[in-house]
Amino acid sequence: MNAEEYVQQLFVHEDETLAAVRRDIVERGMPPIFVPPHIGQLLSLLIKMNHSREALEIGALGGYSGIWLARGLPLDGHLTSLELNPEYANVAMNNLQRANLGDKVQYLTGPALESLKHLEQEQKRYDFFLIDADKENYPAYLTYAIALANPGAIIAADNALLHGRVTNHEDLSASALAMRKFNETMAHHPLLTAMLITMGDGLAVARVNSNS
Ligand SMILES: C[S@@+](CC[C@H](N)C(=O)[O-])C[C@H]1O[C@@H](n2cnc3c(N)ncnc32)[C@H](O)[C@@H]1O
């Protein structure tokens, strides 16, 4: 048993509802690219530790990470989730409803950059962000997350290691270049205190410090 397997079997409490959502996504022929259970549990923990009330997710797929996020929120908490594909957003909504979390979540469909622009115009603010969509746009998603953050908000981003591709400097693909830029901004931005947790495919996490 390696360290990740040890952590999975000891610390991760994935119940039947969550396991059924993973099966549902696979059975529908959707890509099985949801966060692994130990990252889901970590996201829930971060939300609780930060007392986040308003969360924003970029990349819903079938609602698997959405359930972990929504479960970390307080009773009056709320999750806004951005998803390109309206069919995926429907599946996600159904899965959140099955988990009795339907009243806590709102899905906005279409390209996330457009939704983010509208949220910025509406002056929305969030306490927690999960970035988990198209990798080329991670730097732009980070810029929006900082702009939409309440002081003390947490920004988390999955796949920060791109399965080893960020550290392979011969990889000059658009996604690898974007993820390196994203990680460098997380590491050096004057408003952020950050770390890249090397669990799973890497979860980059930052706190947005107050600039006042
Ligand atoms: C890795 S999956 C999300 C997995 C989900 N967070 C989970 O762990 O259950 C990425 C999702 O981002 C969506 N996506 C891709 N490009 C997007 C874009 N430009 N705007 C919004 N969503 C996008 C995809 O349709 C896909 O559902």
Side-chain angles (χ1 to χ4, degrees):
M1 185 186 293
N2 64 31
E4 287 223 358
E5 287 163 348
Y6 176 75
V7 170
Q8 289 272 12
Q9 56 91 28
L10 187 60
F11 282 88
V12 179
H13 308 296
E14 187 196 55
D15 63 8
E16 180 47 32
T17 303
L18 280 161
V21 170
R22 285 203 285 138
R23 287 196 301 274
D24 181 51
I25 291 168
V26 172
E27 281 161 15
R28 287 173 186 274
M30 294 163 66
I33 49 174
F34 33 75
V35 296
H38 56 310
I39 296 291
Q41 175 130 352
L42 178 56
L43 293 170
S44 240
L45 174 64
L46 288 169
I47 285 200
K48 283 177 193 262
M49 286 171 77
N50 194 46
H51 305 288
S52 299
R53 180 167 275 118
E54 290 292 330
L56 181 71
E57 174 181 59
I58 307 176
L61 192 70
Y64 182 76
S65 57
I67 292 177
W68 282 108
L69 295 173
R71 283 185 177 174
L73 292 167
L75 275 180
D76 60 349
H78 187 254
L79 170 67
T80 302
S81 183
L82 314 183
E83 173 53 53
L84 179 65
N85 185 329
E87 289 173 23
Y88 289 1
N90 268 338
V91 173
M93 188 44 143
N94 284 338
N95 280 328
L96 270 279
Q97 281 168 346
R98 265 195 269 169
N100 292 320
L101 294 164
D103 55 346
K104 264 194 158 140
V105 65
Q106 171 194 25
Y107 288 93
L108 303 180
T109 55
L113 286 178
E114 285 182 19
S115 301
L116 287 162
K117 194 171 146 194
H118 291 138
L119 294 173
E120 192 181 36
Q121 283 163 354
E122 292 166 14
Q123 303 192 325
K124 299 283 189 194
R125 293 292 178 268
Y126 300 90
D127 310 305
F128 192 94
F129 300 83
L130 173 62
I131 302 174
D132 190 21
D134 49 327
K135 309 310 164 200
E136 289 81 357
N137 278 321
Y138 268 41
Y141 294 152
L142 179 56
T143 302
Y144 269 113
I146 295 168
L148 296 172
N150 280 322
I154 299 287
I155 301 172
D158 196 32
N159 306 113
L161 293 173
L162 275 185
H163 302 284
R165 290 173 45 221
V166 278
T167 50
N168 171 9
H169 287 277
E170 285 171 17
D171 189 334
L172 299 176
S173 61
S175 54
L177 292 175
M179 196 60 83
R180 282 184 207 117
K181 183 176 173 199
F182 172 84
N183 286 333
E184 284 157 20
T185 309
M186 287 283 274
H188 294 301
H189 195 289
L191 281 182
L192 302 180
T193 305
M195 181 42 68
L196 202 168
I197 300 169
T198 58
M199 278 169 62
D201 190 24
L203 187 77
V205 180
R207 179 183 189 273
V208 185
N209 301 313
S210 169
N211 58 357
S212 55

